[in-house]
């Protein structure tokens, strides 16, 4: 098992490189979508602090000219309170955090956040999938999205032994039973993916007669 994990880390370590975030329109998001949206690097935010234009996304003729943009490391900065970490946080969570931190300087601040553009999350999908490669995931950025982007798994995939290698994490390797997930069991295993993560499908070791044996009998 240790040998397998070391191999996975080496494969995905070689694949990792600095990744620039992309953005995509978020006009189709409902208010609930905005509130529960998990923020990512590259997200473009329209932040309004009631009666405090100097803290709000600047406007000129009704058009935001200098919105807040989440950096690739998952942070953005605001006057008075400095850097805000949005990693693993929803828009709702960040709104509450900004409100609490501004409360040290303002009386009863009212804060709203809207997503102007979504940043994409780029992840690697390798191993026993139909199309290995680097994929950009929008919106949910979860494991099933990554599998779908790669065209699904092959017949040789060990769906009980799928590994997610986190980029720069203290606990970099997670093992997921995708077979159960596909059956609607343990939905929490449809984990969110983050910039530079690697999803690796191991082989089940089965032999396909038509592919592995029959050609040599002809």
């Amino acid at each position: 098992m240790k040998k397998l994990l070391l191999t996975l880390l080496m494969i995905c370590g070689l694949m990792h490189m600095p990744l620039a975030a992309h953005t995509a329109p978020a006009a189709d998001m409902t208010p609930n979508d905005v509130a529960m949206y998990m923020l990512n690097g590259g997200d473009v935010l329209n932040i309004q602090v009631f009666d405090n234009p100097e803290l709000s996304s600047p406007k000129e003729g009704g058009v935001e000219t200098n919105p807040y943009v989440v950096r690739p490391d998952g942070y953005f900065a605001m006057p008075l309170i400095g850097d805000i970490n949005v990693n693993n946080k929803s828009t709702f969570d960040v709104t509450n955090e900004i409100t609490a931190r501004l409360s040290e300087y303002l009386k009863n601040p009212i804060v709203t956040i809207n997503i102007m553009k979504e940043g994409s999350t780029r992840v690697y999908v390798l191993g026993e999938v139909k199309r290995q490669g680097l994929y950009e995931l929008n919106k949910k950025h979860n494991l099933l999205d990554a599998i779908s982007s790669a065209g699904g798994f092959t017949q040789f995939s060990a769906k009980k032994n799928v590994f997610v290698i986190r980029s720069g994490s203290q606990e970099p390797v997670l093992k997921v039973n995708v077979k159960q997930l596909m059956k609607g069991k343990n939905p929490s295993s449809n984990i969110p993916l983050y910039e530079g993560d690697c999803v690796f499908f191991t082989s089940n070791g089965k032999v396909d007669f038509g592919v592995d044996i029959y050609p040599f009998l002809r």
Side-chain angles (χ1 to χ4, degrees), residues 117-189:
K117 292 183 180 179
E118 297 173 58
S120 64
T121 296
R122 300 205 284 183
V123 301
Y124 300 95
V125 187
L126 305 174
E128 291 294 340
V129 291
K130 293 181 179 178
R131 297 190 300 270
Q132 298 187 75
L134 174 63
Y135 293 94
E136 293 194 16
L137 307 180
N138 293 309
K139 296 187 178 180
K140 294 183 180 178
H141 317 134
N142 58 37
L143 180 57
L144 289 181
D145 288 336
I147 296 171
S148 176
S149 296
F153 36 77
T154 71
Q155 60 182 317
F156 301 110
S157 172
K159 294 183 283 295
K160 292 182 180 179
N161 297 307
V162 177
F163 293 90
V164 176
I165 297 90
R166 295 294 197 194
S167 176
S169 173
Q170 294 296 318
E171 298 178 342
V173 180
L174 303 175
K175 182 179 177 182
V176 182
N177 187 332
V178 172
K179 188 172 184 179
Q180 280 194 336
L181 180 59
M182 299 293 288
K183 291 181 178 179
K185 300 178 180 179
N186 194 19
S188 62
S189 62

Side-chain angles (χ1 to χ4, degrees), residues 22-40:
H22 252 287
T23 56
D28 60 341
M29 296 180 72
T30 67
N32 187 62
D33 290 335
V34 172
M36 302 312 296
Y37 176 79
M38 301 299 289
L39 292 165
N40 300 276

